[in-house]
Amino acid sequence: MSSPAATGAEISRTHRIETVRQQMAARGVDALLLSHGADLPWLTGYRAMPLERLTVLVLPREGEAILVVPRLEAPRVPVGSGAFSLRPWSETEDPITLAVDALGGRQATIGISDRAWATSLLAFQKRLPGAAWVAASSVTSALRAVKDAAEISQLRAAGAAADRVAEQLQSGEIALVGRTEAEVSEEISARLLAEGHRRVNFAIVGSGPNGASPHHEAGSRQIGRGEVVVCDFGGEYDNGDDVGYCSDITRTVVTGEPAAEVSEAYAVLLAAQQAAVGSVRPGVPAEQIDAVARAVIDDAGLGEYFIHRTGHGIGIEEHEDPYLVAGNRTLLAPGHAFSVEPGLYFPGRFGMRLEDIVVVGTDGPDPLNTIDHSLVVVDA
Ligand code: ZN
Ligand code: ZN
Ligand code: ZN
């Protein structure tokens, strides 16, 4: 039986598996057990449903990789690359036994998915009492953080779709005044889907004092005139493949001419965000992008109102390495993709945040969100 010609995506997945194996060798990891989380789809094109039934890719440093998968899920697994084989298990089989068999004795040091169920890890530990366990991310996350050209184009398409929704917000197409945050959030979500996302991960709408809570859940508060409204939204873009990449954007708008203190704070925020984006280039430590944003805000005397890190990596997961935070000395490299999203939060009054996704280009930043960065007055 001849297998169909390998697609570009399959070739890059096969290449990723090779790279992961090199990293396993370098780190002394004998096998990976990849269950829930983004490592599995990154390497196989298959995203396991978060069922209690065990799905696990047994990936030894050498030898055959085997995906142990519930029989009823097996038809959804894209095969063809030959990079791994399938071992579907029926309801009366014990998948832990199948996975342990697939390890074939390579069990001194095992990396397991960070997001595997604790029950799976406990069952494996019982069966493999001599094994040392590490987080699979110690092998995969630095590799996954550097996006290849195909991944960057997926992120770019996701970013462009999010930009289109942000433009609809800034142009007043999405009515704000007199509606509840929840209504606006629903409309933003619908528009993300209409612009090509397959799933909305969040659509934060924080109006007035609610904007001072960075991850405010859009609720029943009615948006009034002359208010600051923080809108932070994103989802998984539908690229026709099983594994999509995420968007994430924040724009802050005002429903009427802003008070002087609002425009003054926003000028600081904008300067901080632009300086941070402008400082992105290969060889710079991740923490330095955070420091650049923070310095602008500190110099304006607003440091106490910037209460979170400057950004997070993005890819198959909405939040992944590298994180732009003090203490992260990871050197930025071409292909790293992350948010740059300083914010200012004045408790009980208002908040503001400005967020773009930025890819590290060969000699500078490659921003994926380019829609208007100013504090747009939305008269709607
Ligand atoms: Zn956030
Ligand atoms: Zn966001
Ligand atoms: Zn974000």
Side-chain angles (χ1 to χ4, degrees):
M1 195 176 82
S2 67
S3 56
T7 65
E10 283 163 1
I11 291 166
S12 50
R13 282 169 191 142
T14 305
H15 174 73
R16 285 173 203 156
I17 289 178
E18 285 166 22
T19 317
V20 163
R21 284 182 154 146
Q22 287 162 13
Q23 189 70 3
M24 289 164 73
R27 300 206 158 241
V29 173
D30 301 298
L32 290 180
L33 296 176
L34 300 180
S35 186
H36 301 297
D39 291 338
L40 180 65
W42 179 61
L43 289 177
T44 65
Y46 175 63
R47 191 191 285 277
M49 295 207 358
L51 301 171
E52 75 292 355
R53 293 186 180 94
L54 181 69
T55 297
V56 65
L57 178 72
V58 180
L59 177 61
R61 203 195 300 173
E62 283 152 23
E64 195 184 20
I66 297 173
L67 182 65
V68 175
V69 61
R71 187 171 294 283
L72 76 166
E73 299 296 322
R76 296 201 305 117
V77 179
V79 279
S81 68
F84 61 94
S85 63
L86 274 192
R87 177 60 173 91
W89 59 275
S90 54
E91 302 281 26
T92 55
E93 285 182 292
D94 173 23
I96 298 289
T97 299
L98 297 179
V100 169
D101 288 350
L103 278 170
R106 289 165 291 226
Q107 50 196 248
T109 300
I110 300 176
I112 186 160
S113 289
D114 297 33
R115 313 240 191 294
W117 297 126
T119 46
S120 305
L121 173 59
L122 290 169
F124 280 121
Q125 287 181 324
K126 202 166 175 187
R127 297 289 298 277
L128 302 165
W133 295 87
V134 297
S137 60
S138 67
V139 172
T140 58
S141 92
L143 301 173
R144 233 180 63 209
V146 177
K147 273 66 185 179
D148 61 28
E151 292 178 297
I152 292 168
S153 73
Q154 305 285 3
L155 286 167
R156 197 180 303 281
D163 264 9
R164 292 194 291 275
V165 178
E167 186 172 31
Q168 293 158 15
L169 170 73
Q170 293 177 330
S171 70
E173 242 179 90
I174 302 174
L176 299 174
V177 176
R179 299 174 86 195
T180 66
E181 293 171 346
E183 284 166 345
V184 174
S185 174
E186 261 176 52
E187 181 169 353
I188 288 173
S189 300
R191 286 173 182 262
L192 281 170
L193 297 174
E195 293 297 345
H197 288 76
R198 69 154 66 100
R199 197 179 66 222
V200 176
N201 291 341
F202 52 87
I204 297 168
V205 177
S207 65
N210 289 343
S213 166
H215 281 171
H216 171 70
E217 176 103 27
S220 58
R221 184 180 188 279
Q222 208 176 66
I223 301 170
R225 284 216 179 272
E227 289 185 345
V228 185
V229 186
V230 181
C231 299
D232 181 352
F233 45 90
E236 183 184 328
Y237 190 71
D238 189 354
N239 52 15
D241 194 35
D242 285 352
V243 183
Y245 285 73
C246 293
S247 66
D248 186 3
I249 186 172
T250 307
R251 288 295 182 268
T252 298
V253 296
V254 274
T255 55
E257 282 307 318
E261 58 171 354
V262 172
S263 352
E264 281 162 25
Y266 195 85
V268 173
L269 177 68
L270 176 61
Q273 202 262 358
Q274 300 284 281
V277 171
S279 66
V280 169
R281 62 182 179 278
V284 169
E287 66 177 358
Q288 193 173 313
I289 311 305
D290 179 83
V292 166
R294 215 163 287 281
V296 173
I297 290 170
D298 284 346
D299 287 352
L302 298 176
E304 67 182 289
Y305 304 108
F306 179 21
I307 55 175
H308 54 70
R309 65 191 176 209
T310 293
H312 55 83
I314 188 166
I316 298 172
E317 285 185 296
E318 194 69 67
H319 287 190
E320 57 182 47
D321 279 329
Y323 292 94
L324 306 184
V325 62
N328 185 1
R329 302 202 173 82
T330 303
L331 298 183
L332 297 183
H336 273 142
F338 44 74
S339 70
V340 178
E341 52 174 311
L344 294 171
Y345 309 95
F346 303 94
R349 301 175 59 224
F350 60 89
M352 51 181 61
R353 182 163 64 256
L354 179 59
E355 174 179 28
D356 294 325
I357 301 304
V358 177
V359 173
V360 182
T362 47
D363 49 25
D366 174 8
L368 304 189
N369 299 106
T370 54
I371 205 72
D372 197 343
H373 290 79
S374 64
L375 180 65
V376 173
V377 178
V378 173
D379 191 15

